[in-house]
Amino acid sequence: MRDLYERLLPVLDYPILLHGAAPRNALLEQFRTTPNAVLFGTASFWQGVDVQGEALSFVIIDRLPFAVPSDPVVAARMKFIEESGGKPFFRIPGAIGGDRA
């Protein structure tokens, strides 16, 4: 996200805001009140956020095709599968070869 932000900063003609550059509430207020603003934020930033009207006119969501292994729930599932003699890579939904159910 930061890399994309830095690459686009010099080429976009829009105000660009970055998750982590200021407190969340301050960024949201600036995003809501700045016309044509672009806000780069991770999933944790956007949880519970409600932006209505013209302030939110275009959304791009980056989504990995698999769960992040460092996520606490995923890490616990991986540990359980390993301790049960399985291979997490093949058992966790979304992983290549993993269960699809």
Side-chain angles (χ1 to χ4, degrees):
M1 179 184 65
R2 187 175 305 278
D3 182 55
L4 183 61
Y5 167 85
E6 291 173 0
R7 287 179 185 205
L8 293 176
L9 189 61
V11 296
L12 287 182
D13 291 330
Y14 301 101
I16 301 178
L17 310 170
L18 177 65
H19 175 190
R24 182 176 185 228
N25 288 340
L27 279 175
L28 280 172
E29 183 60 27
Q30 189 175 1
F31 181 65
R32 287 181 175 119
T33 60
T34 304
N36 301 315
V38 176
L39 198 159
F40 290 87
T42 64
S44 64
F45 179 88
W46 292 105
Q47 289 177 344
V49 169
D50 183 21
V51 177
Q52 298 180 3
E54 290 295 317
L56 188 63
S57 59
F58 187 68
V59 176
I60 299 173
I61 300 173
D62 72 326
R63 171 95 165 97
L64 296 175
F66 51 86
V68 180
S70 61
D71 178 274
V73 173
V74 174
R77 289 185 70 204
M78 290 173 63
K79 182 178 178 184
F80 176 79
I81 292 168
E82 286 175 351
E83 289 174 350
S84 301
K87 296 184 180 187
F89 182 77
F90 294 105
R91 295 290 313 275
I92 294 189
I96 296 173
D99 297 338
R100 298 292 177 204

